[in-house]
Amino acid sequence: MSGKLIYLMGPSGSGKDSLLQAAAAPLAGRGGHVVRRVITRSAEARGEDAEAVTPEAFERLERNGAFAMSWRANGLCYGIPRQIDDWLARGHVVLVNGSRGHLEQARRRYPGLLAVLLQVAPEVLRQRLVARGRETPAQIEARLARNAAFAEGLAPPLRVLDNSSSLETCVRGLLALVDEAAVSAAATPG
Ligand SMILES: Nc1ncnc2c1ncn2[C@@H]1O[C@H](COP(=O)(O)OP(=O)(O)O)[C@@H](O)[C@H]1O
Ligand SMILES: O=P(O)(O)OC[C@H]1O[C@H](OP(=O)(O)OP(=O)(O)O)[C@H](O)[C@@H]1O
């Protein structure tokens, strides 16, 4: 039986990392996984619990086939470990913090993936990025500008989750999607 890949995307600051962290325990209780990414971001950077590597180490891992998916954005390299393929082969639900820019490639590799777009009211986005304090003002502007490239919208099918209000509400919405996806994975042979 194959599992279900849930590919979460959204603007920087929309709350992808917070949502995945908050959903990790209830997801584990359902036998699912939140993926720990490999990123060329410094280990001291606050926020996401990722494996921090140098650009050289990232390139080496990528060349050696360590990643199921990898992409570049925001001046960083991001990798999703190959381990997800084992989980999926065992029929598990797997959640990844994905990239809008990488969605079509991800769909080619995982045709059954569930694309979830996290959105937040535009006026809240800048406030959240500033409050997070991980990026410089120039990096925040660059991230907001990057969103304009996706203003046309992403190709369906896509589920949308709103994180403009409380994180708890959003976690409930995500877990409802996970439960739905798990049922559909169980019903799909192969
Ligand atoms: N529902 C929410 N309400 C208030 N603050 C939130 C909410 N969700 C996330 N945040 C805060 O917004 C900032 C950006 O969230 P983060 O999870 O880092 O976003 P992303 O991973 O999408 O860039 C963080 O400081 C986080 O604590
Ligand atoms: O193509 P995009 O949808 O713009 O995404 C580009 C990258 O930005 C986000 O990562 P990261 O965690 O570094 O950024 P964030 O925490 O600021 O969202 C996202 O998870 C992607 O890896």
Side-chain angles (χ1 to χ4, degrees):
M1 183 177 71
S2 68
K4 192 78 181 175
L5 179 63
I6 302 185
Y7 186 90
L8 181 69
M9 302 163 288
S12 182
S14 57
K16 300 178 295 298
D17 182 42
S18 308
L19 181 60
L20 291 177
Q21 280 186 30
L27 190 68
R30 291 159 160 86
H33 310 267
V34 170
V35 176
R36 185 161 185 255
R37 303 193 291 182
V38 178
I39 307 181
T40 56
R41 183 158 42 212
S42 85
E44 294 76 40
R46 73 194 78 177
E48 180 174 353
D49 168 36
E51 182 182 346
V53 296
T54 63
E56 294 73 27
F58 188 95
E59 303 266 335
R60 204 162 44 242
L61 286 166
E62 194 174 46
R63 265 199 316 275
N64 293 338
F67 300 134
M69 292 182 275
S70 57
W71 59 85
R72 271 96 180 138
N74 306 325
L76 299 169
C77 307
Y78 300 84
I80 304 291
R82 280 294 293 266
Q83 185 186 16
I84 72 166
D85 290 335
D86 298 334
W87 287 332
L88 291 169
R90 282 190 230 136
H92 299 182
V93 170
V94 175
L95 261 82
V96 303
N97 186 342
S99 153
R100 293 164 296 178
H102 192 75
L103 175 61
E104 289 316 312
Q105 269 176 274
R107 277 180 166 147
R108 279 197 288 277
R109 178 162 175 142
Y110 299 99
L113 71 72
L114 174 66
V116 178
L117 179 66
L118 192 61
Q119 64 180 21
V120 75
E123 65 275 15
V124 178
L125 203 54
R126 182 185 297 268
Q127 281 169 236
R128 286 200 184 158
L129 285 170
V130 170
R132 181 170 69 180
R134 190 176 69 196
E135 287 81 23
T136 64
Q139 286 171 329
I140 289 176
E141 291 313 315
R143 280 164 180 247
L144 291 169
R146 178 173 169 88
N147 291 335
F150 299 105
E152 296 290 300
L154 299 160
L158 203 65
R159 302 295 291 265
V160 177
L161 271 182
D162 191 88
N163 186 30
S164 303
S165 63
S166 84
L167 187 61
E168 292 68 30
T169 306
C170 199
V171 171
R172 276 199 297 277
L174 179 65
L175 292 174
L177 284 182
V178 167
D179 291 339
E180 213 181 284
V183 168
S184 84
T188 310

